[in-house]
Each structure stands twice: as C-alpha cells, then as structure tokens.
C-alpha cells in the first residue's frame, strides 16, 4: 500500500458530512415508517380500503427498486453531491404532495416521487461514505446507516403516532419536509465531485431491470384482487382465463434473467454495465443478498400486518400503534448500533445464523401468544426478540457487501442494496396483504359455518364472503342497515375479532417458516473476522 493510501486510510475526517448522510437515511426511513401509521387516517380520509391505501407503501418501494441502478449511474455521471441536492429537493416536493393530497391517487403519486428521489439517494449514501471516509471511520459510518434506519422507525412511530392521534396523518409529513430541508442545507458540507461525463448508461439493462421489478411488484401486489390462479372479476384482463398477477410475476423473473445475461455479455465485451456484477461474484456475497431480501421482507410484513390489525380491526389510535410497535423498533435501533461490537468476536456466518434463529423463534412465539392486548409481557417479549434478530441482520448483511467490494464499486453496492431492500419491502408488504386477506376469507367462511345464529340471508346482506379488514364499529354500522337482531350483531362482531386474530396468528406462523428457510443462505455468509477483511482503500487511492 502506498504512503498516500495509508495516510488516506488512517486520516481522521470531520463527522459533519456524516451527519448529513445520517439524516438523509433518516429522511427516507422516516417516510417509509410513517406510511403504516398513516394507513388508518388515509382509509378514513380518502374512503378507500386499507389494501388500496397500502399501495402508497408498495409504489414507493417499487420506484426505488426499479430506478436505483439507473440512479447510481446518473450519480457517477453527473456527480454525487450535485445530484444528491437535486433529489433531496424532489423528496421535499413529495412530502408536499402527501400533505395536500385531495385523493389517494395524489398520495400514491407523492410516494412514487419520493421513491424516484430515493433511487438516487440510496446509492449516493454509500458512494459519499466511500469518498469521505476510510478505515475504521468508514466501518462506523456504514453501521450508522443501519442505526439511522432503525431510529427512524422509533421516531416515526412516536412522533407519527402522537400527531396521527392528536392532529391527523398529514402533519406527519411536515416532519419529512423538515428533514429534507435540513439535509439540503447540510449537503454543502459534503466533499464536492465533478462526476464523469464519459460514463454511459446502459438503457437496455435499465429497461429490463425496471420492467422486471415493476411486473414482479404489480404481480405480487395484486395476487389477492386479481386472483392467485384464475382471473377474478376485478382483474383488468385475463390470459386464457388465468389471472394476470402470476403471469406478471413470471414475466418479471424472465426480464430479470435477461438483465443478468445482457449485463454479463456487456462486461465480457469490456463495456460499462448498469451494475458491476463482480459485487456478487462469490457465493458468500450472493448469500448476503438473499439474506438481505428475506430479512427486509420479513420486517415489511410485520410492519404492515400489526399496524393494520391494531388500527383497522381494533379501531385503536396511531399512538396506540406506536406503543405496540415500540419494543420492536427500539430494539432494532439499539441492536443495529451495538452489533458492530460483536464483529471482533464472531464471524458474519455465526451472527447471521443466530439472527435468523432469533427471528424464527420470535415469530413462532408471537403466533402463539398474540391477542387483542398488545401490552402483555409475552407479546412485548416476542417483539423484542424479533427486533434483536432483525437489527443484527440488517446491519450485518450490508456490512458484508460493502467490505467485500472495492471502494470504486461503492455506488454499485449502494444500488444493489437499494434494489434488494426496496423490492423486498414492496414484495413483503404486497404478499402480507394478499396472504392476510386470503387467509381471512378462509377464516370468515369457516367461522360463518360455525355460527348458526348467523343465517345465510344475513350473510348475503353484508357480503361477508368478500369482506376486507374492517373495524368492529364499521361492521356494527353495516349491520344497522340489515334485519340483524342485537344478538346477531354481537355474534358477527365476535366472528370479526376471532377470524382476524386467527388470520394474524397464522400469518405470523407462515412468516416463521420463511425465516427458518433463510438460515440456509445465512450459513453461507463469510467466516472471516474483521482483521481478515482486505482493505479496499488502495483501489480507490489508485484511481
């Protein structure tokens, strides 16, 4: 290693630029964490089902995942600092759309805009860390991104829950706007770069990966509405009687395969790819990507399912939701911050396997003990254990990818992280919604058969075969317009509570099975310890 590279590796740099990058991660994560809290308010404000309101969550993740690789190349071409400032202003505009949205379509457009901005912010965070920090400072900065993501969940549930209860869901996005303004002002502390105008963007690869991710997300998001196999009446079209949802999923996978084939051929010809696939060359790096996808998808499922149940079914306030989710979010924050200390004692493989064991045990436990009272010790314990596993895994797999790649490929690692995390978040939310509604339909059908006091004529009046997640109060209001007796109303409300709680428990058990399967890729994570990791700084210094 040259003397200049050594000095660059050991020299201490001001942490002020990291404050800007930390708050940028908080900005994105706070926005995402605020959406589940806002579900109840949007459902009431816009008069739409919760599955429609949750499209704001899905479209954000879809936009980021579809555009992040292209965003990484734009950052390299234009210059990370300049484009960073532009998209932070765009993010502020998305917050204004949420604040003044007259319909749910405007709110969805706001999150699509936020996702497009985040598609460039995500890779820029990794690239700017690699440019501004080296050595131990770089490792600390990478860990800070994980803790920023976690603390955003805590603050969003606290601040958002309070505002949502006392004022409404819209003021939550004033906080997002304030974060965007602060990040823009602090961006002037970042080291400037001029970009490289000679970098060409592979438009074919951009179209392939963008189309693939859009089709995958739309397919998963509409499995319930359009049909998992046969097309329903709600499907916009059918393919020989088949639902377009699974067809889109298959086509999305095909586009993804063509993307990899095209990119490998482009790299073999010596041309610049949309993403350098050398960042996932080894089985260990691919294992880190698989583990990242699963752990983020699990988090998205939990963050969607529990607030949905608390706000929509139980009819409790956003503040109640924040209190119920606090053990999980607070634990994720603390664990993501402290897990770095264990890297000196245990290799990534050990931490990864142990993390997925914790999430599996926690989900099984929650599926057994969860009930209508979220403040019980067994429930809090389950969320605490799940948070420990989640916090450790999110930081760990990101660290594995960053430390395995040279600093010159930091933007590619950032785009891979963004694509994986946001596709996982969108798919996790969509699958959770489809899974819960499907299980709910089965549960309601069985419960109706077990309640002879609910005659078929009454069931037909409330259309319980096609019922979505509704609160007990809303169900009582619907039954007032029927010939149901008071006893029948109470029986229907009891069915409402039992069917939805049973659905949530079964859903958590299925997630536990997915978590258990993730132990396999975690067992393929690297065995090295921090002092064995090659320093990628010389690559950057040689540029």
């Amino acid at each position: 290693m040259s003397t200049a590279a050594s000095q660059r590796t050991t020299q201490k740099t001001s942490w002020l630029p990291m404050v800007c990058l930390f708050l940028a991660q908080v900005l994105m994560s706070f926005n995402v964490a605020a959406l589940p809290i806002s579900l109840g308010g949007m459902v009431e404000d816009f008069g739409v089902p919760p599955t429609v309101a949750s499209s704001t969550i899905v479209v954000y993740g879809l936009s980021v995942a579809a555009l992040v690789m292209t965003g990484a190349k734009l950052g390299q071409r234009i210059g990370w600092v300049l484009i960073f400032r532009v998209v932070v202003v765009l993010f502020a505009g998305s917050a204004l759309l949420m604040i003044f949205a007259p319909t749910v379509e405007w709110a969805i457009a706001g999150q699509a805009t936020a996702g497009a901005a985040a598609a460039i912010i995500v890779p820029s965070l990794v690239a700017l860390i690699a440019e501004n920090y080296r050595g131990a400072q770089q490792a600390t900065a990478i860990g800070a991104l994980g803790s920023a993501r976690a603390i955003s969940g805590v603050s969003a549930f606290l601040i958002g829950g309070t505002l949502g209860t006392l004022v409404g869901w819209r003021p939550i996005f004033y906080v997002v706007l304030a974060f965007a303004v602060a990040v823009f002002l602090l961006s002037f502390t970042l080291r400037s770069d001029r970009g490289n105008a000679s970098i060409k963007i592979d438009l074919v690869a951009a179209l392939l990966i963008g189309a693939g991710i859009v089709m995958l997300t739309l397919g998963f998001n509409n499995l319930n509405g359009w049909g998992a196999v046969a097309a329903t009446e709600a499907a916009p079209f059918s393919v020989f009687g088949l639902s377009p949802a699974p067809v889109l999923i298959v086509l999305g996978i095909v586009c993804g395969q063509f993307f990899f084939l095209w990119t490998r051929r482009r790299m073999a010809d010596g041309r610049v790819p949309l993403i350098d696939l050398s960042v996932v060359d080894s089985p260990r790096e691919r294992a880190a990507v698989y583990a990242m996808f699963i752990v983020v998808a699990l988090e998205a499922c939990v963050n969607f399912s529990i607030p949905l149940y608390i706000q929509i079914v139980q009819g409790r306030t956003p503040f109640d939701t924040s209190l119920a989710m606090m053990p999980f979010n607070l634990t994720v924050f603390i664990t993501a911050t402290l897990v770095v200390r264990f890297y000196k004692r245990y290799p990534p493989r050990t931490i990864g396997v142990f993390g997925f064991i914790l999430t599996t045990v926690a989900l099984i436990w929650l599926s057994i003990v969860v009930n209508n009272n979220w403040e019980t010790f067994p429930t809090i314990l389950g969320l605490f254990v799940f948070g420990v596993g989640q916090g450790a895994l999110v930081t760990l797999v990101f660290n594995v990818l960053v430390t395995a790649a040279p600093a010159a490929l930091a933007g590619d690692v950032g785009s891979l992280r963004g694509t994986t995390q946001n596709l996982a978040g969108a798919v996790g939310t969509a699958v959770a919604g489809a899974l819960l509604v499907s299980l709910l339909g089965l549960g309601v059908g069985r419960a109706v058969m077990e309640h002879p006091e609910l005659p078929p004529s009454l069931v037909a009046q409330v259309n319980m075969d096609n019922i979505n997640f509704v609160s007990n109060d809303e169900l009582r209001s619907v039954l007032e317009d029927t010939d149901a007796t008071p006893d029948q109303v109470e029986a229907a409300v009891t069915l409402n509570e039992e069917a939805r709680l049973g659905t949530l428990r079964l859903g958590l058990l299925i997630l536990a099975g997915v978590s258990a399967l993730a132990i396999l890729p975690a067992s393929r994570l690297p065995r090295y310890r921090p002092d064995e990791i090659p320093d990628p700084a010389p690559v950057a210094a040689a540029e």
Side-chain angles (χ1 to χ4, degrees):
M1 184 185 294
S2 65
T3 303
S6 300
Q7 290 175 348
R8 211 173 162 193
T9 304
T10 57
Q11 184 179 4
K12 295 293 183 182
T13 307
S14 168
W15 285 113
L16 196 56
M18 188 58 215
V19 174
C20 173
L21 302 179
F22 182 90
L23 288 179
Q25 179 66 65
V26 170
L27 167 67
M28 295 185 295
S29 300
F30 187 96
N31 176 78
V32 172
L35 290 174
I37 303 172
S38 305
L39 278 180
M42 285 191 282
V43 167
E44 182 178 354
D45 202 359
F46 299 136
V48 296
T51 47
V52 174
S54 69
S55 296
T56 54
I57 304 174
V58 174
V59 77
Y60 173 88
L62 187 153
S63 299
V64 180
L67 300 174
V68 68
M69 290 186 183
T70 305
K73 287 303 174 197
L74 282 173
Q76 294 170 8
R77 180 180 173 87
I78 298 173
W80 287 114
V81 174
L82 175 60
I83 201 166
F84 179 81
R85 290 173 185 153
V86 172
V87 295
V88 167
V89 173
L90 187 62
F91 213 110
S94 75
L96 290 173
L97 280 175
M98 296 298 293
I99 292 169
F100 298 108
T103 64
V104 71
E105 288 78 15
W106 281 89
I108 292 172
Q111 286 309 303
T113 304
I120 295 178
I121 296 176
V122 167
S124 71
L125 295 180
V126 184
L128 289 170
I129 284 177
E131 184 175 341
N132 285 270
Y133 299 102
R134 292 288 181 270
Q137 276 193 299
Q138 186 180 95
T140 302
I142 291 168
L145 287 186
S147 61
R149 186 171 177 270
I151 197 174
S152 301
V154 177
S155 58
F157 273 92
L158 275 176
I159 299 173
T162 303
L163 289 175
T165 301
L166 300 179
V167 185
W169 67 272
R170 295 178 190 270
I172 299 173
F173 292 92
Y174 280 109
V175 181
V176 176
L177 180 62
F179 275 126
V181 172
V183 171
F184 178 78
L185 295 176
L186 285 169
S187 68
F188 291 92
T189 65
L190 295 169
R191 186 166 61 188
S192 180
D193 64 330
R194 291 174 294 180
N196 184 357
S198 66
I199 291 177
K200 304 296 182 183
I201 298 176
D202 185 355
L203 295 179
V204 173
L207 289 173
L208 283 172
I209 193 65
I213 288 172
V214 168
M215 287 189 284
L216 279 171
T217 308
L218 286 177
F220 278 111
N221 194 41
N222 291 285
L223 276 173
N224 180 66
W226 295 348
V229 179
T232 66
E233 293 181 359
F237 61 90
S238 65
V239 183
F240 303 109
L242 290 175
S243 166
V247 174
L248 285 174
I249 292 173
V250 172
L251 290 176
I253 294 172
V254 170
C255 281
Q257 292 302 311
F258 275 118
F259 165 78
F260 285 110
L261 288 172
W262 173 270
T263 301
R264 289 191 183 98
R265 179 177 294 180
R266 190 175 177 88
M267 291 179 67
D269 293 341
R271 292 182 291 170
V272 178
L274 189 65
I275 181 173
D276 195 322
L277 295 181
S278 65
V279 297
V280 287
D281 262 350
S282 74
R284 296 177 301 182
E285 291 157 355
R286 288 194 292 273
V289 174
Y290 298 148
M292 179 184 292
F293 185 93
I294 293 172
V295 74
V296 174
L298 287 174
E299 181 184 20
C301 288
V302 171
N303 274 332
F304 171 77
S305 304
I306 295 180
L308 171 72
Y309 186 86
I310 296 174
Q311 290 189 58
I312 305 301
V313 177
Q314 294 183 313
R316 301 177 72 179
T317 66
F319 187 73
D320 292 327
T321 306
S322 68
L323 290 179
M325 294 299 291
M326 188 55 59
F328 168 66
N329 287 290
L330 191 60
T331 306
V332 170
F333 164 61
I334 295 172
T335 306
T337 306
L338 298 181
V339 71
V340 181
R341 300 186 180 185
F342 288 90
Y343 294 171
K344 297 180 180 179
R345 298 183 181 180
Y346 305 102
R349 181 173 300 183
T350 301
I351 299 175
V353 169
F354 185 69
F356 276 116
I357 290 174
L358 284 179
T359 56
T360 302
V361 171
L363 288 168
I364 293 174
W365 174 258
L366 283 171
S367 71
I368 297 171
V369 304
V370 73
N371 55 45
N372 287 325
N373 184 3
W374 296 90
E375 288 77 28
T376 61
F377 176 75
T379 304
I380 293 174
L381 177 63
L383 290 172
F384 170 80
V385 175
F386 185 76
V388 170
Q390 181 77 22
L393 287 165
V394 168
T395 304
L396 171 73
V397 292
F398 181 35
N399 228 315
V400 168
L401 287 173
V402 174
T403 54
L409 298 180
D412 294 85
V413 173
S415 67
L416 177 64
R417 173 205 179 213
T419 301
T420 304
Q421 286 191 337
N422 288 279
L423 178 60
V427 170
T429 302
V431 169
L435 175 66
L436 291 178
V437 172
S438 298
L439 292 175
L440 177 63
L442 296 174
V444 168
R446 185 178 63 252
V448 167
M449 296 295 293
E450 295 172 353
H451 284 72
E453 65 271 33
L454 297 177
S457 58
L458 176 60
V459 174
Q461 291 180 64
V462 296
N463 194 20
M464 296 192 74
D465 291 331
N466 191 35
I467 201 166
N468 208 317
F469 281 84
V470 296
S471 67
N472 292 338
D473 291 339
E474 185 177 350
L475 182 58
R476 284 192 175 95
S477 177
V478 170
L479 291 173
E480 286 178 358
D481 297 329
T482 69
D483 56 9
T485 65
D487 289 341
Q488 289 174 335
V489 170
E490 292 309 312
V493 169
T494 301
L495 183 153
N496 183 56
E497 293 178 344
E498 292 176 351
R500 284 150 183 76
L501 186 57
T503 295
L504 180 61
R505 286 176 171 171
L506 185 54
L508 290 171
L509 193 59
I510 292 173
L511 293 181
V514 175
S515 179
L517 291 174
I519 295 174
L520 181 59
S523 67
R524 295 176 180 172
L525 290 173
R527 292 179 176 174
Y528 55 66
R529 296 192 178 187
D531 56 355
E532 299 170 341
I533 300 174
D535 185 1
V539 177
E543 291 179 345

